[in-house]
Amino acid sequence: MRLEQTQEQKLEQRQKLTQQQMLQVKLLEMPLAELEQSVQAEIDDNPALESVANDGDDYDEAGGTIDVDTDENELYNSEEKEERKDELDKALQNMMGDDEMPEASGPTTNQNQNAKCYFFAFGDQTSFYDKLKEQMGELDLSDQQRDIMEYIIGSLDNDGLLRKKIDVIVDELAIYHNIYTSEKEVKEILEEIQEFDPAGIGARTLKECLLIQIDRKQGNRIRLLLREIIDKHYDDFISKRWDKLAQTMALSDDDVEQLRKELRRLNPKPGASLGETEGLNLQQITPDFIIDTADDGTVTFTITKGRVPDLYVSDSFTDLVKTYQKDKTKLSTQEKEALIYAKEKIDRAQGFIDAIKQRRHTLYITMRAIIEIQKKYFQEGDEGELKPMILKDIADRTGLDISTVSRVSNQKYAQTRWGTFRLRHFFSDSIKTETGEELSTRKLKTVLLDIINNEDKKKPLGDDALSKEMKQRGFPIARRTVAKYREQMGIPVARLRKQ
């Protein structure tokens, strides 16, 4: 067998997010409360970023100056000084190709965007997320493992379950957080989370959630039977076919009663359980948008600013750079270091300010497009008036990418005249009826739910009967569509609704 060495030239195009784009993506995803913390952390970390507090809120203006009076002989010997000078000169040449410095950005204000809305409730204000992070702190993890675990915990829904697929998490970590990992590593870290309290946290399905809880308990005959039912006869279990289970597994009436009693001790929503005791549902909610509907039907909105202060670049830093830039050839080593340090901090501060402005602009055009489409809903508050609207509809109107619209709508809240909702609430798929009419799935579900709520509970309607009733009300949809929407709303079949 002959081995040959060949050389091949290949041209491929790759899209890589810049550091500034990654910052914009990160800030855009944040709800207001998290943004407030991020802004304050950046102010504390970057002395070139200063702030003006809003609405009487107390913020320390993080200014700073650079001490350039220290004797160079205290820092370097002669040989080290020469090497350091060469490195500094190269850095200055690469960085200072353009002598123009950005003017210090004065504080800006927007009087229409300072609205606040807080919902307080009594109880422990420690969040579900914080309680899991406390348990995470007890583990010996590498920096990457810790970052991955934090991301997984942040991806759990309010029930404490992980709805995202492992491969999706791997992709998101790489794209948005520059963390490159494998499905194997993510699964191993997820298994660590599944050891946290309460039992069932981090499960990917209801079945896995229940099995985790059973495995935590000391095994006895009834618990082993329950585990076998959930593991091997899950379809019968979820459909409450206890007669069939009793026959298949040779269970007595007493066994069935004890199994049901043991089942009631399991929690299908471990996250909600933790929330009740630790304050998950008692946290403060700060809506990102305040939508107001006037009596004449005019709909307006403001973007909630909360405790995010107005930001600007420090005058002392820009003045320092301007002073040193007048004659860079005569700078001492320490002055060059000071110049590089100040320029880097100014660039970072300006980039952060630009990212905050871009976030507000993106929020503004997204909400404006949502209101344009769903104006009738905001005027009347009837969910049945929500028009078919998907992410692409907003993307087409705003010129934004679909993924950007998704990030805006994912964790943001809007306060309306009719209540406070996640932005996802205003989105609805559509279907074409048998007559070719395009209807919102939200409207169809609203009508279907009304029919089921008003049915004779002694003779509940089957899916065929529900389909006929929907048709009589002017919504001709097939039986299989009725079954799909009923399942999505968590409504059991007719025989399980019978009272």
Side-chain angles (χ1 to χ4, degrees):
M1 185 176 179
R2 186 178 174 184
L3 295 177
E4 289 186 0
Q5 187 175 13
T6 61
Q7 198 170 32
E8 186 180 78
Q9 197 171 29
K10 188 177 179 183
L11 180 66
E12 65 177 345
Q13 187 176 10
R14 291 186 181 181
Q15 185 177 11
K16 189 174 181 180
L17 292 176
T18 65
Q19 196 168 11
Q20 181 66 17
Q21 289 172 327
M22 291 181 69
L23 175 62
Q24 291 175 359
V25 167
K26 183 179 178 181
L27 295 181
L28 185 62
E29 287 181 324
M30 292 180 181
L32 184 58
E34 189 177 345
L35 178 68
E36 293 171 351
Q37 296 174 2
S38 179
V39 170
Q40 190 58 50
E42 187 68 20
I43 292 171
D44 294 339
D45 190 52
N46 187 354
L49 185 65
E50 296 196 359
S51 65
V52 174
N54 293 304
D55 296 338
D57 292 337
D58 293 329
Y59 284 93
D60 294 329
E61 293 191 1
T65 57
I66 300 173
D67 181 11
V68 294
D69 295 326
T70 307
D71 187 353
E72 292 180 16
N73 291 325
E74 295 175 6
L75 302 177
Y76 312 108
N77 60 38
S78 60
E79 184 177 348
E80 289 174 335
K81 280 165 59 178
E82 290 303 319
E83 292 178 358
R84 186 65 173 160
K85 273 188 175 183
D86 290 340
E87 292 175 3
L88 288 169
D89 289 338
K90 289 179 182 177
L92 285 169
Q93 287 173 4
N94 293 333
M95 186 181 70
M96 309 299 267
D98 183 2
D99 285 349
E100 293 295 323
M101 279 299 301
E103 293 296 326
S105 306
T108 58
T109 57
N110 189 330
Q111 299 299 326
N112 294 327
Q113 295 178 347
N114 291 331
K116 291 184 181 179
C117 183
Y118 297 99
F119 295 86
F120 289 103
F122 296 103
D124 182 4
Q125 295 297 310
T126 306
S127 71
F128 168 48
Y129 179 75
D130 290 336
K131 282 297 175 184
L132 294 182
K133 283 193 68 177
E134 285 179 9
Q135 298 178 65
M136 183 180 78
E138 300 173 2
L139 302 177
D140 184 16
L141 302 171
S142 67
D143 290 342
Q144 172 156 316
Q145 289 173 329
R146 188 172 301 278
D147 290 340
I148 294 171
M149 185 171 284
E150 281 190 7
Y151 190 81
I152 295 174
I153 290 174
S155 298
L156 301 179
D157 63 15
N158 286 348
D159 294 339
L161 305 184
L162 182 66
R163 307 292 185 183
K164 285 184 180 179
K165 294 182 179 179
I166 299 297
D167 60 335
V168 172
I169 292 176
V170 172
D171 291 342
E172 289 179 350
L173 284 167
I175 294 171
Y176 305 131
H177 299 278
N178 207 27
I179 298 174
Y180 298 94
T181 182
S182 63
E183 292 186 24
K184 181 175 180 292
E185 183 177 23
V186 172
K187 286 180 181 177
E188 289 173 352
I189 293 173
L190 178 60
E191 288 172 2
E192 293 272 7
I193 294 174
Q194 290 176 351
E195 295 294 324
F196 289 179
D197 291 324
I201 287 292
R204 285 163 286 182
T205 63
L206 174 60
K207 179 178 179 180
E208 185 178 35
C209 177
L210 298 178
L211 290 174
I212 289 172
Q213 293 178 58
I214 293 172
D215 291 341
R216 287 273 191 101
K217 297 174 182 275
Q218 186 175 358
N220 56 33
R221 177 176 172 272
I222 292 300
R223 287 174 186 161
L224 292 175
L225 284 174
L226 185 57
R227 194 191 196 289
E228 182 180 351
I229 289 172
I230 295 173
D231 188 30
K232 298 180 181 179
H233 307 282
Y234 186 71
D235 289 341
D236 289 334
F237 163 75
I238 207 69
S239 299
K240 300 181 181 179
R241 301 189 187 108
W242 287 102
D243 291 344
K244 184 177 179 181
L245 287 169
Q247 185 178 3
T248 302
M249 300 179 63
L251 302 174
S252 66
D253 291 343
D254 184 55
D255 288 336
V256 172
E257 182 61 32
Q258 289 189 57
L259 283 167
R260 286 182 170 179
K261 184 177 180 180
E262 187 66 30
L263 181 63
R264 285 193 289 270
R265 295 176 180 172
L266 302 181
N267 187 355
K269 298 180 179 181
S273 170
L274 184 61
E276 291 167 5
T277 58
E278 302 296 352
L280 171 65
N281 298 322
L282 304 178
Q283 295 181 78
Q284 138 185 331
I285 294 177
T286 309
D288 299 84
F289 303 92
I290 308 293
I291 302 174
D292 182 55
T293 305
D295 293 337
D296 63 358
T298 303
V299 181
T300 58
F301 75 98
T302 55
I303 301 174
T304 311
K305 197 166 187 178
R307 291 175 57 86
V308 176
D310 296 308
L311 303 172
Y312 63 100
V313 178
S314 167
D315 291 332
S316 61
F317 268 69
T318 53
D319 291 343
L320 179 66
V321 171
K322 287 176 182 177
T323 300
Y324 284 163
Q325 279 188 327
K326 289 178 181 177
D327 192 352
K328 291 182 290 187
T329 59
K330 295 181 180 180
L331 295 180
S332 67
T333 300
Q334 192 170 357
E335 287 171 339
K336 289 178 181 179
E337 284 189 318
L339 178 57
I340 292 174
Y341 173 84
K343 183 67 165 61
E344 287 176 347
K345 293 299 181 183
I346 288 173
D347 288 344
R348 177 174 162 181
Q350 191 61 55
F352 193 83
I353 292 170
D354 291 342
I356 292 289
K357 289 179 179 177
Q358 182 62 43
R359 178 186 187 273
R360 295 182 69 80
H361 174 70
T362 303
L363 293 182
Y364 173 79
I365 61 175
T366 301
M367 179 49 71
R368 183 179 63 185
I370 291 174
I371 291 177
E372 286 173 356
I373 295 175
Q374 305 293 11
K375 187 174 181 179
K376 195 167 184 181
Y377 166 77
F378 291 112
Q379 289 173 330
E380 301 180 9
D382 182 0
E383 283 197 22
E385 297 296 342
L386 282 172
K387 295 182 180 179
M389 184 181 77
I390 57 177
L391 297 176
K392 187 176 183 301
D393 295 327
I394 301 300
D396 290 343
R397 280 181 177 247
T398 59
L400 299 172
D401 189 83
I402 291 179
S403 62
T404 302
V405 179
S406 177
R407 291 186 188 98
V408 173
S409 59
N410 200 27
Q411 298 187 60
K412 309 293 187 300
Y413 286 85
Q415 179 186 321
T416 74
R417 190 173 180 177
W418 323 108
T420 301
F421 307 97
R422 284 183 181 271
L423 258 60
R424 286 281 185 182
H425 174 79
F426 308 124
F427 289 81
S428 175
D429 291 329
S430 65
I431 66 165
K432 284 189 176 180
T433 65
E434 296 170 354
T435 61
E437 183 182 2
E438 190 173 354
L439 293 174
S440 164
T441 56
R442 184 70 62 84
K443 176 72 172 179
L444 296 173
K445 288 179 181 179
T446 301
V447 176
L448 179 60
L449 182 61
D450 182 64
I451 294 172
I452 293 174
N453 286 339
N454 291 287
E455 69 184 355
D456 183 355
K457 298 305 178 184
K458 294 181 179 179
K459 296 180 180 179
L461 301 174
D463 291 340
D464 281 324
L466 289 172
S467 177
K468 291 177 181 177
E469 183 66 27
M470 289 288 289
K471 190 171 184 178
Q472 289 180 3
R473 295 198 182 191
F475 303 99
I477 56 175
R479 181 203 63 80
R480 63 180 179 275
T481 307
V482 168
K484 181 177 76 170
Y485 291 165
R486 176 180 52 73
E487 291 171 0
Q488 288 176 355
M489 292 187 291
I491 300 172
V493 294
R495 63 184 179 81
L496 297 179
R497 300 200 308 271
K498 187 175 182 179
Q499 295 179 3

